[in-house]
Amino acid sequence: MTKVEFVRVKSELCGYGLGKGTKYSFDGVEEIIKKRVENGWSFEGYIPIETRGTGDIETMSLIFQKEE
């Protein structure tokens, strides 16, 4: 049986820049993926859940899959 789990990650303000203005990042995403992969999960991708008016992703859901 295949098990699927979703982990929501929200972007955080990390500074200010030119053009679009503020800068956001998804801190800790690599660590989340690394820990899941080390525990037998495979990273399948992500789904944008919320976006800003500029089209940038505000919240995304990471998709993991594991055979049990």
Side-chain angles (χ1 to χ4, degrees), residues 42-60:
S42 66
F43 175 65
E44 300 298 317
Y46 71 94
I47 302 167
I49 302 295
E50 296 176 318
T51 58
R52 293 190 186 85
T54 59
D56 297 317
I57 298 172
E58 172 78 25
T59 305
M60 67 178 163

Side-chain angles (χ1 to χ4, degrees), residues 21-41:
T22 53
K23 292 182 180 182
Y24 292 86
S25 67
F26 289 96
D27 291 334
V29 171
E30 292 94 346
E31 191 62 31
I32 292 170
I33 295 170
K34 181 180 175 184
K35 285 182 181 180
R36 288 286 181 131
V37 169
E38 288 173 349
N39 288 317
W41 293 87

